Structure formats: structure tokens, C-alpha cells
Amino acid sequence: MEAYSNLVVLFVVMATWCSMTSSDDIRLPVPCTDLVPLDLLKEAVPTLDHIPPGVSVVYVASSHAHAFQFTTEANRLEFKANKIFKRCEYFPEEFSIFIVLKHTQRRKRQECLFSLVDDRTNKIIISVKLTKVAIVFQYDDKTFRFKTNIFSGDKWHTLGFSMAGDTVVMTTDCRNRRQRQVRRAFPEFLPMTNTSFIIGGCKRKRTIFQGYLKDLILVPGADAVAKVCPPKRHRRMDNTVTTFPHAYEQSPFWPQRVQCSWSDVGNLAFDVYSDKVKVCVNGIWKEVNIQTGKKKLDYFEAYHDVQTPAASIDVEVFTLPGEGLFAVFAGQAGEGDSALFKWVENQFTFYQKLETEAAQSWCHFTIKNQFFLAVANYGSSPDQASNSTVYRWHKKRKKFKSYQTFVTWTARDFEYFKIDGQHYLAVANHAQGDNTMVDSVIYKWDFSQRNFTEFQSIMTVGAYDWTHFVVNDFHFIAIANAFNGLTTLIDSVIYFWQNDRFVQFQTMETNGATDWEFFSIDGDHFLAVANAYNYGPQNYKDVDTFYTNSTIYKLNRQKRVFEKFQIVPTYSAIDWEYVRVGGDHFLVVSNAQNGGEGEELASVVYRWQGLDRFVPVHRLKTLPSADWETFTQGEDVYLIYANAKESTSQIIKAKFT
């Protein structure tokens, strides 16, 4: 049992990462933010041979461009969403829609201009509808009406919708801006499988829009409408809207046209030759730089030290709506309470002390507008059960208060997830005394009792981490098993949700596993495991026990199994953290021990480089780190880590070229 005791001492400073989401969202692959502006009309009608009955192309002499005319007999323009979402499975969380149109309908009935539809249920996901006095923007079951009088005359107009966070903004003719607050933010991960774009109509009915449509542009990015509109001093009262021609137009006039007339000032245009949105400013069509999240990471720099009451082995960063950004640190075993910090004036300042007992990890989650924190407590001794606690945010006192406790055994991790509207919380129990084969428990939220009740027990072996993830609407949960009493070279397990239970899906051989990290790149799904310790018959000489190979697995869709994709040499790896910056993908590994003879302690940043797979690009000379998290403030990207040996944790800021 001496070897096991040594492992307990080692693992007590190792934390698992708790992957969290809000009650409305499940942690999924990072959404796609590197799409370019998309001309939906061009995708719907690539050539003039594909125009459906009732839709015709007319030439607009005033702007030297073609437009589509929709009549009462028109059929819809429709195409599958995967035509443009080829390597990206999710609709951008932040986006803008530009529409250039002339409305001719004078009746009071509602007309559907544009929609995104679920092919399986025929349900509208996103739509833009018109009435005589209003423009209606809808997503899911949320409807926003913007009153307007722009359709009172027979003129061309530009409409712009921007969705970002809890705000939807409509802009008409670059002058009138209306904003609505959203109770429920736009889905962060909206899958595009089995969906279709419909132009000129909604659902599977004939088109009901009547008028002329020049452009329908989808632009990923927050409030791109505001970015493309010129400053107020350049705006004129003329409402004429000029657009560049579609790719199929053969007129030689437009490719050479750079200047615009006074009547074009303040108007938007989409140049299909350069795939750029342009605006007429001072007589010249100027390209607009719409930021869609594309940044190039140059290096990292130390930003701010966070002084914690004691050494910490886990940090969880989360946001409370209306309150701000917070970070909670798990106090090291035997050194008392944990500490909650709040982001104030660009740094984390101490906010609240939370009572814990050798805290190992924190999880934040939301249930029906109630905010919770769950802490996994190791306890005072592996021979005794301990209480792990769920705290709830008290809105009036603006503090977290103890809400519910669970009896746990050397708990290492809590993982929250949501399936079919039900809320679950899984605890990883590490060991009972010397016995590492113990039940870890999944709890389910009971809406009538307003607390968690035991739902399912799963036998685990020296468990360290639960990680929940979703692939094509199928739910999985992976356990990191670390030690069976004889060796660290054992199987970790992935479970699959089937018939309202988790059943075994796949096993992987791991070596002292402490963390799983799930992420997606260009439609491919990956799992990375952090292997921390090499002890047992496979290392009978007990040499260099901290040196391990951590593994990145990739999902083989045909075989329906995760396969070894890349081996990464690590030195007591404790945590993987996936970070996306613009179009670049990064993995940060926390190495808890010195990386070999004479090498300084360092965490390593790997960048995805396609055929070259993940390549090390940065070595971060940090203090002993046990857990990494990433967060953003505005356009700034930060990494924060918990210091496992001292009371000084750090924030690192990313610098971009």
C-alpha cells in the first residue's frame, strides 16, 4: 500500500477540469467564427437556369444590377445548409444578415422573406418576415417585432439584423437602429445538419414574399451592420441602395467601377468579385473590414497575479448575468477554504470565501435562472466519507450560500450536463481507503423537490474526471480512471446515453489519467487524455514515473469509435485546455513536474497545423500549474491557471499580430 499512499500524495495536487455550460446550452465544440460573408442568393441560384417558376430576373437601370422579382405565383428558392457549412457543423453564435429589397405588397398579411428550416420537423429555426408596418425577426420560438414605415414608398431599402449575446439589433438604411434585449441568448451551438435555407418563404409552402430582392448576405460576426455603416457625417437622406452584380452578370461595367454617385452615399453593396461588403463614402466604394473572429496569435505575456488564500489545484471561470465575470479557486488539501474572485477593473479581486474540505474541483451551472456552484471535496482522509457541496447564488445578498450536500469518497470532480431538458450532476469518487474500485454517482435534478437525487451509479477505478460531450445530438460521458491499486496502466471508459441510461461505449488504455478534453476542428471530433503517472509492472524499475505519453483520439465516423490520432510526450500531465483564436486551434497541456533532466517547469501550447497535426509553438514558463481555463473580455483572450504549490496563481494574456 506504500505505492498507493505515494500516489495519493502526488494526486492530491492534481485537479480535473470541470466542463460547464449554462442550463440552456451543453458544452459542445467551439462554434464556427471563421466563415466569410456568404451570398445566399448566389447559393440558391448559381446560374439563371435554376430560377423556379414565378421568380424572374429584372434589370435595375438605376443601379446597373440585376434583382430577383417574386410574384404571387412564385415558388421558393431553397438549398441545403450543408452546401455552405461544409467543414462547420454549427451556425455562428454571433452573426449579421444584410438584405437589399424593394417591397411591393400592400396588403396587411404577413410575408416571409427568408427562413432557415429543420428538414425533419419542418420547424422554423430563423426567419425574417414583413408586414405593412413592421419587420419581424424570429429564432426558435422567440419573435421580435420592429415597427417601421420604410415600406410606405416604392423604393429600395437595406435591412440589417445583428445577433450577439442577449441582444438583437435591426438597422434600416444605415440610419435607423433598433435594439431588443433577449431573455434567452442565441444558441451557442446550433447544428446545421438536416437544415435548409428558404428564400422568399417559410416552411414547405409556396413563397409569399412579393417584391424585388437584390442581395441576401449572411456575415458571421457581432453587429457587423454597425461596422459597415459609414459615420453619421457621411450619411445622406437618399434611400437608394446600390449593389454590385451577382457573379453570373456579364456586364463589363462593374469590375472597373470604383466611384459611386452622391445618391449612393451611405448605401451598402456586396461585391461578389471580392466577397466584400462595401459602403459608399465620399464618392468611393470602400471595402469594409468586418471582424469575424480571425486573429493570429503571436505570443503570451504575464498579465496579472492572483493571490489566493492557499495553493489551489483547480480554477473555474464563469459569468453571472448582470453581475459579471467570476473565478473560483479550489483550496489545496488540508489548507481550508476556497476563494471566489470577481473581475473588477481588468483584474480578479477577492469576493467571497467558500467553506470547503480539501477541494478538488468546481463546477458552475444554471437551472431555471438559479445559479449554482458545485465543489468536489476530497475530505480529511481517504478512509472516511466527506461531504461535497452545491452552493446557490443568493440574488439579494449577492453571495453563494450552501444549498445541498452529497456524501462522497475522496471526490475529485463534478460534471454538469443537460439531456432532453433534464439536469444532471456527476461526481467522480476516487477511492474508499485503499480500495480504488468504487461507485461514482450521477445525480438528477428533481424539479418537484428542487434538489438532486441519485440517478445512476457507475463503477470507476481511481476516478479523476468526468467529461460530457455531444456528437450529432448523441450524448457521451468519459471517465478518467487513474489507478487500480497495482498499476496506473488501466482502461478509462466512454459511456453512451441510451434508453435514459449511460451504457459502456468504448474503453481506452490510459496511464494515470487525470483529465479528458473534447473539441472539434472542421467537423472532426477529438478527445485528449492527460496521463499523469507511470507506475506498475510496465515500469518495474520505477524510473521516470512522471514521464508519460498523453494521447489525442479522433472519432472514426464509419467505425463509430475513437482511434489514436497523436501521441504527445508529457511530464505528469494534469490538464488539457482547448482554445480557439480566430481560425486557429490550440491545446494547452499543464505539465505538473519538471520536463526532464535540467529542464524548467513549463506548460506547452500546441497549435493545429492540418497534416502536421498538433505542433508545439509556445513553452509557458509558469509556476506549478494544475488546471487551466480560458476566458475573454471584449476582444482580449486570457488564460488563467491554478498554482498547486503556492498561493500565487496567474493570468496570461494572448497577444495578436
Side-chain angles (χ1 to χ4, degrees):
M1 291 298 102
E2 180 180 356
Y4 174 68
S5 299
N6 292 335
L7 283 176
V8 170
V9 173
L10 168 68
F11 285 152
V12 81
V13 299
M14 301 179 180
T16 56
W17 176 73
C18 179
S19 168
M20 275 312 310
T21 67
S22 70
S23 63
D24 293 320
D25 298 311
I26 299 173
R27 176 174 288 273
L28 293 172
V30 174
C32 306
T33 58
D34 59 347
L35 294 171
V36 298
L38 299 166
D39 186 349
L40 300 183
L41 271 176
K42 179 183 175 182
E43 297 296 338
V45 188
T47 68
L48 296 181
D49 297 332
H50 289 78
I51 299 178
V55 180
S56 59
V57 176
V58 298
Y59 182 73
V60 184
S62 61
S63 58
H64 302 280
H66 285 105
F68 289 91
Q69 181 180 15
F70 293 80
T71 68
T72 57
E73 304 300 324
N75 292 327
R76 62 185 181 268
L77 300 178
E78 181 179 353
F79 65 93
K80 296 290 186 181
N82 59 15
K83 183 178 179 182
I84 55 178
F85 288 86
K86 296 179 180 177
R87 296 186 304 169
C88 168
E89 294 187 3
Y90 301 94
F91 196 86
E93 177 188 5
E94 297 181 344
F95 64 92
S96 297
I97 299 174
F98 296 103
I99 305 171
V100 181
L101 79 164
K102 184 163 66 172
H103 186 238
T104 60
Q105 177 59 249
R106 292 293 176 264
R107 286 175 290 180
K108 293 184 179 180
R109 68 186 180 91
Q110 193 176 77
E111 300 179 8
C112 187
L113 175 64
F114 156 78
S115 61
L116 175 63
V117 178
D118 188 319
D119 295 331
R120 296 166 297 182
T121 63
N122 217 21
K123 181 181 179 181
I124 294 178
I125 301 172
I126 302 171
S127 70
V128 175
K129 300 177 182 178
L130 310 176
T131 71
K132 187 176 180 180
V133 296
I135 301 171
V136 183
F137 176 75
Q138 174 188 347
Y139 77 85
D140 198 11
D141 57 349
K142 304 299 179 183
T143 300
F144 305 92
R145 295 176 61 87
F146 299 89
K147 289 186 177 181
T148 181
N149 61 357
I150 66 170
F151 298 135
S152 58
D154 188 22
K155 297 180 180 180
W156 288 96
H157 297 280
T158 297
L159 304 181
F161 291 92
S162 287
M163 189 78 204
D166 61 352
T167 304
V168 59
V169 177
M170 185 196 75
T171 304
T172 57
D173 297 332
C174 244
R175 290 198 305 273
N176 301 313
R177 178 183 172 91
R178 308 283 183 83
Q179 182 172 312
R180 297 283 189 275
Q181 291 299 119
V182 181
R183 289 186 179 180
R184 185 176 67 191
F186 190 82
E188 185 177 2
F189 303 100
L190 181 62
M192 286 291 95
T193 54
N194 300 311
T195 60
S196 296
F197 286 99
I198 300 177
I199 301 172
C202 289
K203 297 187 177 179
R204 298 299 181 186
K205 300 178 182 179
R206 65 182 181 85
T207 177
I208 56 175
F209 168 68
Q210 294 179 38
Y212 300 88
L213 188 59
K214 286 185 180 179
D215 282 303
L216 180 55
I217 313 299
L218 172 64
V219 183
D223 202 6
V225 175
K227 293 180 174 66
V228 303
C229 288
K232 289 185 178 181
R233 63 178 180 272
H234 294 308
R235 297 179 186 171
R236 303 290 179 85
M237 296 303 295
D238 185 90
N239 285 336
T240 302
V241 177
T242 304
T243 59
F244 290 94
H246 293 277
Y248 53 76
E249 183 175 350
Q250 300 300 319
S251 170
F253 174 74
W254 280 96
Q256 287 79 31
R257 185 179 181 185
V258 178
Q259 296 181 343
C260 53
S261 67
W262 67 269
S263 62
D264 294 320
V265 173
N267 294 325
L268 307 177
F270 183 74
D271 184 354
V272 298
Y273 298 104
S274 62
D275 284 340
K276 297 286 186 179
V277 176
K278 296 186 178 182
V279 65
C280 181
V281 179
N282 293 336
I284 298 177
W285 288 109
K286 291 188 176 181
E287 292 185 358
V288 178
N289 181 22
I290 300 176
Q291 297 182 5
T292 60
K294 287 189 174 181
K295 296 181 179 179
K296 291 296 183 181
L297 180 64
D298 191 12
Y299 64 95
F300 292 95
E301 65 177 4
Y303 176 77
H304 169 52
D305 288 347
V306 181
Q307 299 299 323
T308 56
S312 304
I313 58 177
D314 179 76
V315 58
E316 174 83 348
V317 180
F318 60 95
T319 299
L320 294 182
E323 300 295 337
L325 182 72
F326 293 84
V328 59
F329 289 82
Q332 189 176 2
E335 298 193 33
D337 299 328
S338 295
L340 177 69
F341 291 78
K342 183 177 181 179
W343 187 261
V344 179
E345 296 181 353
N346 297 321
Q347 64 180 16
F348 278 118
T349 58
F350 179 79
Y351 187 82
Q352 181 184 358
K353 181 176 72 172
L354 295 169
E355 184 178 350
T356 55
E357 188 178 16
Q360 299 295 291
S361 71
W362 285 96
C363 249
H364 166 258
F365 55 95
T366 305
I367 300 177
K368 282 199 169 182
N369 297 321
Q370 296 291 319
F371 309 114
F372 298 90
L373 278 176
V375 61
N377 286 322
Y378 183 88
S380 59
S381 168
D383 296 320
Q384 298 177 358
S386 60
N387 287 328
S388 292
T389 306
V390 173
Y391 290 85
R392 186 179 67 173
W393 177 256
H394 195 291
K395 294 184 178 180
K396 291 184 178 179
R397 298 181 181 179
K398 296 186 182 300
K399 298 286 185 179
F400 279 100
K401 299 293 183 180
S402 178
Y403 184 77
Q404 183 179 359
T405 59
F406 306 94
V407 176
T408 55
W409 287 89
T410 58
R412 294 292 190 176
D413 181 48
F414 266 123
E415 175 81 346
Y416 165 84
F417 52 93
K418 184 179 177 183
I419 302 176
D420 297 331
Q422 301 297 317
H423 305 267
Y424 300 88
L425 192 62
V427 64
N429 287 321
H430 182 67
Q432 292 184 19
D434 294 333
N435 181 22
T436 61
M437 299 185 67
V438 297
D439 283 338
S440 291
V441 182
I442 300 173
Y443 299 91
K444 181 180 180 180
W445 180 260
D446 188 314
F447 284 96
S448 61
Q449 298 183 27
R450 296 184 180 180
N451 61 15
F452 285 99
T453 59
E454 186 170 334
F455 172 73
Q456 182 179 358
S457 295
I458 296 177
M459 177 65 71
T460 55
V461 186
Y464 254 85
D465 173 73
W466 282 114
T467 295
H468 168 261
F469 60 95
V470 179
V471 177
N472 296 335
D473 297 329
F474 295 104
H475 292 262
F476 299 84
I477 191 166
I479 187 71
N481 289 323
F483 185 58
N484 66 2
L486 298 174
T487 177
T488 57
L489 192 65
I490 59 176
D491 285 343
S492 291
V493 186
I494 301 174
Y495 297 89
F496 171 67
W497 182 260
Q498 187 178 57
N499 298 327
D500 296 328
R501 307 286 287 182
F502 281 107
V503 297
Q504 183 169 308
F505 173 76
Q506 182 183 352
T507 62
M508 287 102 142
E509 188 177 71
T510 54
N511 204 357
T514 57
D515 178 65
W516 284 105
E517 181 81 344
F518 174 80
F519 57 96
S520 296
I521 298 176
D522 297 333
D524 291 322
H525 306 291
F526 299 87
L527 268 175
V529 64
N531 289 323
Y533 200 66
N534 183 21
Y535 171 82
Q538 76 280 1
N539 188 14
Y540 65 94
K541 292 185 179 180
D542 201 24
V543 176
D544 211 3
T545 52
F546 295 117
Y547 179 82
T548 55
N549 286 326
S550 294
T551 306
I552 301 171
Y553 298 86
K554 180 181 177 182
L555 178 64
N556 185 318
R557 292 176 180 271
Q558 286 71 37
K559 296 180 180 179
R560 298 182 180 181
V561 66
F562 282 92
E563 298 177 333
K564 284 187 178 180
F565 178 75
Q566 184 176 354
I567 303 297
V568 180
T570 53
Y571 217 76
S572 189
I574 305 301
D575 179 62
W576 281 108
E577 180 72 3
Y578 168 77
V579 184
R580 181 170 181 175
V581 180
D584 291 328
H585 306 265
F586 299 91
L587 276 177
V588 184
V589 64
S590 171
N591 289 316
Q593 301 294 328
N594 290 333
E597 188 175 336
E599 291 190 22
E600 294 183 76
L601 183 70
S603 292
V604 181
V605 180
Y606 296 84
R607 182 175 64 202
W608 173 254
Q609 294 188 188
L611 292 177
D612 293 330
R613 304 189 180 190
F614 283 97
V615 176
V617 291
H618 298 280
R619 286 181 60 86
L620 304 178
K621 297 180 180 180
T622 62
L623 299 170
S625 60
D627 180 59
W628 286 84
E629 290 288 312
T630 181
F631 65 95
T632 60
Q633 286 292 285
E635 295 184 355
D636 294 324
V637 179
Y638 300 89
L639 289 170
I640 183 172
Y641 68 86
N643 186 340
K645 293 185 179 180
E646 301 174 0
S647 59
T648 300
S649 294
Q650 286 185 322
I651 300 174
I652 295 172
K653 186 176 182 180
K655 286 296 191 179
F656 305 100
T657 54

